[in-house]
Amino acid sequence: MKIKFEVIPHKNQRYNTLGDYFIVDNTCVIRTSKLGNKRYEFLVLLHEFIEWFLTSIKKIPEKKIYAYDVAFEKRVKGVNLKKLMSLETN
């Protein structure tokens, strides 16, 4: 399996989230929203990579993970990038 990391505009996420991953054509695509801070982007990608690895070992179906993630983001009202980035301290 190949692994592809992407930094994309937030509006291009599948739902209102900072990070996401999915399998397409035997490739694990791991995405983060563009945050304007490479350290943050790296940490989100790393988080998603670890989550993918652990859930794949446990054989948790991607469909189940996606449903959980969408429900979670809905419960917490999604990501507010402006608010998140205003918390940044170098």
Side-chain angles (χ1 to χ4, degrees), residues 25-38:
D25 297 329
N26 203 35
T27 299
C28 178
V29 179
I30 302 173
R31 291 178 168 174
T32 183
S33 295
K34 184 174 183 166
L35 301 172
N37 182 313
K38 294 201 182 297

Side-chain angles (χ1 to χ4, degrees), residues 16 69-80:
N16 190 15
D69 286 347
V70 169
F72 173 81
E73 294 296 350
K74 192 174 188 179
R75 239 183 357 266
V76 298
K77 309 270 191 283
V79 176
N80 183 332

Side-chain angles (χ1 to χ4, degrees), residues 19-67:
D20 188 21
Y21 62 91
F22 52 92
I23 308 300
V24 62
D25 297 329
N26 203 35
T27 299
C28 178
V29 179
I30 302 173
R31 291 178 168 174
T32 183
S33 295
K34 184 174 183 166
L35 301 172
N37 182 313
K38 294 201 182 297
R39 290 175 287 186
Y40 291 172
E41 293 163 356
F42 171 78
L43 290 172
V44 173
L45 289 170
L46 181 61
H47 166 90
E48 295 299 322
F49 176 66
I50 292 169
E51 182 180 318
W52 165 76
F53 181 75
L54 294 175
T55 56
S56 67
I57 287 173
K58 291 286 190 178
K59 299 188 184 325
I60 301 171
E62 179 193 337
K63 192 175 189 178
K64 194 171 190 176
I65 297 162
Y66 176 79

